[in-house]
Amino acid sequence: MTAQEVRLCGLLLQEHFGDVVEKVGTHLLRNGAQHLRAIVQETGTPMDLVKKSLCVLIQHGACAFSSGRKGPGSPVEYQASFERILRILRYPRYIYTAKTLYGDTGELIIEELLQRGHMTMSSTVKTVADRLTLNMEEGHSMEYSEVSNTFSKLVETHFLQRCPPVEVAGKAVSATPDPATTPGAPANNTTPSTPESFADCYKVPHVTLIGRGKRRNSSEDGEDQRNAKRAKEDPETHGDEGIYWQVNFERFHLHFRDQAIISAVANKLDQTSSEIVRTMLRMSEVTTPPIATCTQALSANEIFRSLPPNYNISRPILDQYLTLLVDDPMEFVGKSGDSGGGMYVVNLHRALANLARATLESVVQERFGSRSARIFRLLLRKRHLEQKQVEDFAMIPAKEAKDMLYTLLSENLVQLQEIPKTPDHAPSRTFYLYTVNQLPTARMLLQNCFKTVANLIERRLFETKESKRLLEKSQRIEAILASLQASGAEPEQLTEVEEMITPPEKQQLESLRHHINKLDSAENQVDETIFLLESYIKSTATATR
Amino acid sequence: SGDGVTKKISLDWIKELCQQFPQGITDQVIQNDMPHLEPQQRAMAINKLLSLGQLDLLRNSAGLLYRMKDTQTASKMKGSDNQEKLVYQIIEDAGNKGIWSREIRFKSNLPLTEINKILKNLESKKLIKAVKSVAASKKKVYMLYNLQPDRSVTGGAWYSDQDFESEFVEVLNQQCFKFLQSKAEAARDSKQSPMVQRNSSFATSHEVWKYICELGISKVDLSMDDIETILNTLIYDGKVEMTVIAAKEGTVGSVDGQMKLYRGVNAIIQPTGLVKVPCGLCPVFDDCHEGGEISPSNCIYMAEWLDF
């Protein structure tokens, strides 16, 4: 766990769950698996607050508990997961993807599940129906069955999965912080089992859910709160108690990866080729394991049949496109056989490596200029080169080439390899070769990305803090306006209240809003880079196993 | 006296033969032409001509070769002594690559001071010249006066007077790229079948070479190899890709039965997210931390970027 990773996780935890959870979470990240008493002592937080924090973390899958290392009698240990906490950064992307694939209903389902961590199907459906009803016209409301349909579709395509069932509570000793509604990792074995290892992972339970979303009117505020409380303790059952659902992040990641590959093909070749690759990826969605280096082999006949209907290209033309894809130096698609008109695979690992490489080149280009980028690409191609060879191939004068190489070297983007000719390593009799190692460089850039996101978050918090007084004032004024409007005040009164904010203050608020938006979207943009680099690193780790 | 006349006649005869065959004559040729001349007399005649400095003695795979010496240089060398002749010979042998003074010393076994004196002498007589090598700017190589220095010494088309012509290279780089790019666009717009489209977007190195020559932007003559080095830099810029195809011997532009094809390509990703943020380009990234002199809260780059 690097310092940057811990810092970023701390910021994310603080923003989403508050200071106490942040303290507990960061402590666990820094110190590995710990049992409850140790956490209480070392963080100086009261026991019940620690319990509640662990509750929250486990609810969101950011923390797992398992029996102690010292044997069956030792206290339960808790371990925080850095990867899971980092996913918080990607929530907007998940929600947006759900919206594009399954509309507003899908978007709200994913949003609710991300916010709550784990939920039953029935409570999700009810909440989402209520929210959708709120946005609809008077007199309309959302059917539960419609929402359930979308939910089932999400499960079918594996975007949602069941949380792994919890082991018998009796085995876990004293410090389990939460009553039975919290699912978690099985308490017995130390190897973490994935949700996929449970047979019913993607089975939608039979749920009796009949009804429509309820609209909450603002006049029924007081009633509402009582209703809400009552709803929580509602004894109404729907047949799916104890079955909790969570968002399947891996599935979303596969979707993002496919999107990246398709857009790369579209950029390099053309729209039709990218549609063919999209078809191939869609066909292998369920047959290809997530860590595979390439998809299952698909025959050209199958691809032809599965093309979208509005793409009426003839069979020989399809063959031409496939041949071109195979011949392309980027090697997105490979040919694995000749039966069935030609068997083709999508080279996932190769595509990720190319995308990561393009990312590295992009960073060097933007940061150091196109000539340094030329040297960088040259070294990536030729692996090892001497100083003189770099100058000759890149056609850059010696002095400038030397300068650029040394700059890249000092930033650790380029490494120097010594090959001595004599055993005494005398400098005059040693070859000095420049080289670029893609994997370590990608790792280093990933850490830079983490630091960058943390910087952006801190700047955003700083900007908000600076203008705290102004924000509070504007909020108060908005509240006054709202209540005046509700009680039917005169327009002059309204304008009088509005003018309590002076024009320069309005401008300041406007620029603050602009800053915050920019910082927010920048976080998402850097997260895209993080995704590409992480996928590449993970894919290389499994490919070389 | 008949002997003396024969000698004179044979000398002239051999000289005539040499002039007839400027590339040189062997013993056999002399014998065939003058069968009455005895080998001993022949040898004496040849030795006489050699000592007079009118013949050059060379050796090839078949044996000894006698060649007419260039009278101009022959007259110039008359005043020189053997040492100078030796040094001159060594320099001549080095051809158009030139030879370094230290190597002349090794080959002739003469002391350095002697060599320097001789070199100065020869230079003033305009028999040899010194050319600065582009590899080591302090090193001077000597070669015959009227020879064109080899590319390895002058650096070829990219160097003019020891200076690397970056602008020239840049201009060529851009022109080649524009040519390939417009070819690729034309292929795309032609709306033919994809295979034909791709093939017509390729240009051979020969085509690019012809285009550049016709543009006339180069003062020096560029070879196809030169153009290929420029095209390679475009590959390292990520703008162009290359394939090699087999070509029939004799096809225009083919070398050793293959041709190199180039075409313009697009980048596969947009500039990545990290570089759209000041931190991705920040020169003091490593010094930045919260609470320090440089921190996200007081970062001027961020402030500028936010107000943009």
Side-chain angles (χ1 to χ4, degrees):
Chain A
M1 201 68 43
T2 69
Q4 293 305 331
E5 290 169 354
V6 174
R7 174 180 171 223
L8 181 55
C9 287
L11 285 167
L12 289 169
L13 286 174
Q14 185 169 39
E15 257 204 286
H16 282 84
F17 303 118
D19 289 324
V20 183
V21 177
E22 186 256 328
K23 206 171 189 181
V24 172
T26 344
H27 179 80
L28 280 174
L29 283 171
R30 279 212 185 91
N31 300 310
Q34 294 219 311
H35 56 87
L36 182 63
R37 211 152 277 287
I39 303 175
V40 173
Q41 270 175 343
E42 288 171 30
T43 58
T45 333
M47 169 78 84
D48 59 332
L49 283 181
V50 173
K51 283 193 191 175
K52 287 197 185 135
S53 312
L54 287 171
C55 217
V56 171
L57 287 172
I58 293 177
Q59 172 80 4
H60 280 83
C63 175
F65 58 88
S66 59
S67 60
R69 286 166 283 181
K70 298 194 195 121
S74 62
V76 175
E77 291 189 330
Y78 302 90
Q79 189 153 24
S81 154
F82 148 75
E83 243 190 67
R84 176 62 187 84
I85 299 175
L86 204 59
R87 295 291 158 255
I88 297 178
L89 200 54
R90 211 165 283 163
Y91 282 3
R93 202 170 171 190
Y94 299 137
I95 298 172
Y96 181 71
T97 308
K99 187 181 177 124
T100 50
L101 292 176
Y102 295 103
D104 285 339
T105 321
E107 174 195 357
L108 287 181
I109 294 177
I110 297 289
E111 195 181 320
E112 284 295 318
L113 276 170
L114 284 174
Q115 276 190 331
R116 307 290 179 84
H118 304 155
M119 276 218 293
T120 61
M121 179 169 167
S122 39
S123 48
T124 318
V125 169
K126 280 198 261 193
T127 324
V128 171
D130 289 345
R131 278 184 72 178
L132 283 167
T133 309
L134 211 57
N135 291 333
M136 291 165 101
E137 297 165 8
E138 274 299 326
H140 287 102
S141 59
M142 183 56 111
E143 275 267 358
Y144 282 173
S145 54
E146 250 187 79
V147 183
S148 303
N149 264 344
T150 317
F151 194 98
S152 313
K153 273 192 255 179
L154 279 165
V155 174
E156 263 170 41
T157 45
H158 294 204
F159 283 107
L160 294 177
Q161 63 186 184
R162 285 201 201 191
C163 304
V166 104
E167 283 283 302
V168 177
K171 295 252 177 69
V173 193
S174 61
T176 0
D178 202 71
T181 50
T182 310
N188 265 342
N189 46 350
T190 44
T191 52
S193 48
T194 60
E196 278 84 4
S197 50
F198 296 96
D200 294 336
C201 181
Y202 297 112
K203 197 165 99 168
V204 180
H206 179 67
V207 178
T208 53
L209 258 182
I210 304 166
R212 312 182 71 90
K214 292 173 195 41
R215 180 186 301 278
R216 310 236 181 259
N217 293 326
S218 48
S219 55
E220 302 168 0
D221 258 340
E223 252 181 74
D224 246 359
Q225 284 184 4
R226 275 178 273 132
N227 275 343
K229 262 219 162 82
R230 216 184 298 145
K232 277 210 187 86
E233 299 146 1
D234 199 353
E236 194 184 322
T237 59
H238 301 280
D240 69 338
E241 274 55 47
I243 304 177
Y244 291 88
W245 297 87
Q246 63 187 12
V247 174
N248 182 2
F249 295 116
E250 280 312 309
R251 178 67 184 88
F252 276 102
H253 294 165
L254 294 181
H255 180 83
F256 297 153
R257 178 200 67 190
D258 291 348
Q259 268 184 331
I261 296 179
I262 292 167
S263 79
V265 175
N267 283 336
K268 181 93 197 294
L269 295 166
D270 58 20
Q271 191 65 22
T272 320
S273 309
S274 75
E275 279 306 317
I276 295 175
V277 175
R278 190 199 300 267
T279 313
M280 288 176 75
L281 286 167
R282 201 174 6 104
M283 287 161 67
S284 15
E285 251 170 20
V286 282
T287 53
T288 312
I291 54 170
T293 47
C294 49
T295 61
Q296 299 280 53
L298 302 162
S299 74
N301 294 331
E302 285 175 348
I303 300 174
F304 185 61
R305 279 197 295 269
S306 318
L307 280 176
N310 52 341
Y311 260 89
N312 52 350
I313 58 178
S314 65
R315 184 55 204 276
I317 299 286
L318 171 72
D319 283 335
Q320 279 191 16
Y321 273 112
L322 284 168
T323 319
L324 287 178
L325 277 166
V326 170
D327 280 341
D328 192 81
M330 287 272 160
E331 291 183 6
F332 288 115
V333 172
K335 191 165 185 185
S336 68
D338 288 310
S339 55
M343 303 294 281
Y344 297 92
V345 293
V346 177
N347 291 322
L348 298 167
H349 175 66
R350 192 72 50 81
L352 281 173
N354 281 332
L355 286 166
R357 180 187 168 150
T359 309
L360 297 182
E361 291 170 4
S362 161
V363 172
V364 173
Q365 176 140 356
E366 298 296 324
R367 205 166 157 195
F368 299 108
S370 6
R371 293 210 285 177
S372 297
R374 192 190 288 179
I375 293 180
F376 190 74
R377 285 197 196 91
L378 170 63
L379 285 171
L380 272 172
R381 266 185 180 257
K382 303 267 186 185
R383 305 293 179 91
H384 290 91
L385 283 179
E386 281 186 308
Q387 169 93 34
K388 184 83 178 46
Q389 291 171 305
V390 172
E391 291 163 18
D392 290 337
F393 279 124
M395 303 205 81
I396 298 178
K399 223 183 292 187
E400 292 171 38
K402 213 177 277 197
D403 200 32
M404 290 178 200
L405 272 171
Y406 290 164
T407 313
L408 288 173
L409 193 63
S410 69
E411 297 286 337
N412 218 2
L413 289 160
V414 155
Q415 283 84 42
L416 204 51
Q417 169 81 40
E418 290 178 13
I419 302 188
K421 293 190 227 185
T422 57
D424 65 354
H425 287 247
S428 58
R429 290 188 290 271
T430 315
F431 287 114
Y432 290 98
L433 302 175
Y434 289 96
T435 184
V436 176
N437 294 318
Q438 196 167 329
L439 187 58
T441 313
R443 273 196 241 264
M444 182 190 81
L445 267 177
L446 186 60
Q447 292 300 315
N448 285 357
C449 286
F450 291 147
K451 182 169 180 181
T452 306
V453 178
N455 285 349
L456 289 169
I457 296 179
E458 282 195 4
R459 179 66 185 225
R460 181 159 51 86
L461 295 173
F462 170 75
E463 296 259 329
T464 321
K465 204 169 70 168
E466 284 285 288
S467 315
K468 200 160 101 156
R469 197 192 62 83
L470 188 57
L471 278 172
E472 283 175 357
K473 179 174 174 187
S474 110
Q475 274 174 348
R476 269 202 316 270
I477 294 189
E478 269 179 42
I480 297 175
L481 272 175
S483 65
L484 278 181
Q485 268 179 337
S487 58
E490 312 255 324
E492 296 94 46
Q493 278 182 310
L494 290 175
T495 37
E496 203 184 301
V497 171
E498 270 172 19
E499 275 163 20
M500 278 166 65
I501 303 190
T502 66
E505 283 178 342
K506 269 208 187 95
Q507 209 173 14
Q508 204 180 339
L509 275 174
E510 195 44 54
S511 94
L512 175 68
R513 197 170 305 142
H514 174 71
H515 288 185
I516 303 281
N517 282 341
K518 200 159 189 177
L519 286 164
D520 254 338
S521 58
E523 281 172 42
N524 291 334
Q525 284 172 332
V526 182
D527 182 59
E528 283 177 23
T529 312
I530 292 179
F531 173 70
L532 276 178
L533 292 173
E534 268 183 350
S535 311
Y536 163 65
I537 293 171
K538 213 183 286 182
S539 167
T540 317
T542 51
T544 51
R545 199 175 296 159
Chain B
S1 79
D3 210 20
V5 172
T6 338
K7 237 202 256 175
K8 182 81 173 39
I9 293 175
S10 44
L11 280 182
D12 286 332
W13 207 316
I14 294 178
K15 278 208 313 208
E16 255 185 59
L17 264 179
C18 279
Q19 272 167 351
Q20 251 184 359
F21 298 101
Q23 70 273 28
I25 52 173
T26 61
D27 264 326
Q28 193 67 39
V29 172
I30 302 176
Q31 197 175 3
N32 291 344
D33 209 59
M34 302 192 289
H36 56 279
L37 198 61
E38 281 167 33
Q40 209 178 9
Q41 287 176 311
R42 194 173 63 234
M44 271 171 56
I46 291 174
N47 275 333
K48 182 79 181 182
L49 283 172
L50 279 173
S51 64
L52 279 177
Q54 291 177 345
L55 266 195
D56 251 336
L57 179 65
L58 302 160
R59 184 197 285 276
N60 70 356
S61 47
L64 293 172
L65 211 61
Y66 311 105
R67 196 172 65 184
M68 200 77 217
K69 204 179 257 222
D70 184 10
T71 41
Q72 215 183 15
T73 44
S75 60
K76 279 194 188 164
M77 290 295 278
K78 263 217 190 99
S80 353
D81 55 11
N82 283 332
Q83 280 183 340
E84 280 196 14
K85 285 201 196 132
L86 180 61
V87 170
Y88 183 78
Q89 189 74 40
I90 296 174
I91 294 180
E92 195 178 10
D93 286 339
N96 64 354
K97 286 215 168 42
I99 185 165
W100 196 17
S101 60
R102 191 186 288 191
E103 284 176 31
I104 300 179
R105 187 149 55 106
F106 282 157
K107 284 208 175 153
S108 64
N109 281 328
L110 291 170
L112 189 59
T113 45
E114 271 299 316
I115 300 264
N116 285 339
K117 204 161 52 134
I118 294 173
L119 285 175
K120 258 204 213 64
N121 233 345
L122 289 171
E123 263 184 292
S124 60
K125 285 198 211 159
K126 290 215 180 231
L127 289 170
I128 62 171
K129 65 181 175 189
V131 175
K132 262 208 305 202
S133 166
V134 72
S137 56
K138 304 252 174 46
K139 205 161 105 167
K140 282 202 291 204
V141 290
Y142 294 94
M143 63 181 71
L144 291 187
Y145 195 73
N146 45 3
L147 278 184
Q148 188 79 280
D150 183 66
R151 296 192 115 190
S152 60
V153 178
T154 58
W158 315 123
Y159 287 84
S160 73
D161 307 324
Q162 304 305 305
D163 285 322
F164 183 71
E165 295 239 357
S166 321
E167 283 166 31
F168 181 48
V169 169
E170 245 338 280
V171 166
L172 280 177
N173 185 299
Q174 284 169 8
Q175 288 299 327
C176 289
F177 179 54
K178 250 192 257 180
F179 175 69
L180 289 172
Q181 212 181 15
S182 55
K183 195 144 198 251
E185 264 178 47
R188 257 198 301 276
D189 294 334
S190 67
K191 297 268 179 267
Q192 292 170 310
S193 81
M195 198 60 102
V196 174
Q197 250 181 49
R198 189 190 85 132
N199 289 342
S200 58
S201 64
F202 275 113
T204 65
S205 38
H206 183 82
E207 278 175 55
V208 184
W209 174 74
K210 219 169 64 161
Y211 171 73
I212 295 291
C213 287
E214 278 166 16
L215 265 187
I217 48 180
S218 168
K219 295 175 297 231
V220 299
D221 285 327
L222 294 169
S223 71
M224 209 164 83
D225 276 335
D226 289 328
I227 295 295
E228 280 182 10
T229 27
I230 297 279
L231 288 167
N232 281 341
T233 63
L234 278 170
I235 296 179
Y236 307 135
D237 280 336
K239 295 183 180 152
V240 157
E241 70 180 15
M242 175 188 85
T243 42
V244 182
I245 59 165
K248 223 164 38 161
E249 274 298 327
T251 327
V252 166
S254 70
V255 178
D256 297 331
Q258 51 186 0
M259 285 207 291
K260 294 201 175 98
L261 299 171
Y262 298 85
R263 83 183 173 128
V265 291
N266 300 324
I268 62 169
I269 58 164
Q270 308 294 327
T272 189
L274 179 61
V275 301
K276 295 183 185 162
V277 166
C279 301
L281 312 172
C282 178
V284 290
F285 185 68
D286 292 324
D287 298 325
C288 167
H289 56 269
E290 197 52 40
E293 257 186 69
I294 303 174
S295 74
S297 320
N298 63 15
C299 176
I300 50 176
Y301 296 128
M302 275 233 203
E304 262 180 50
W305 172 71
L306 285 173
D307 286 328
F308 186 65

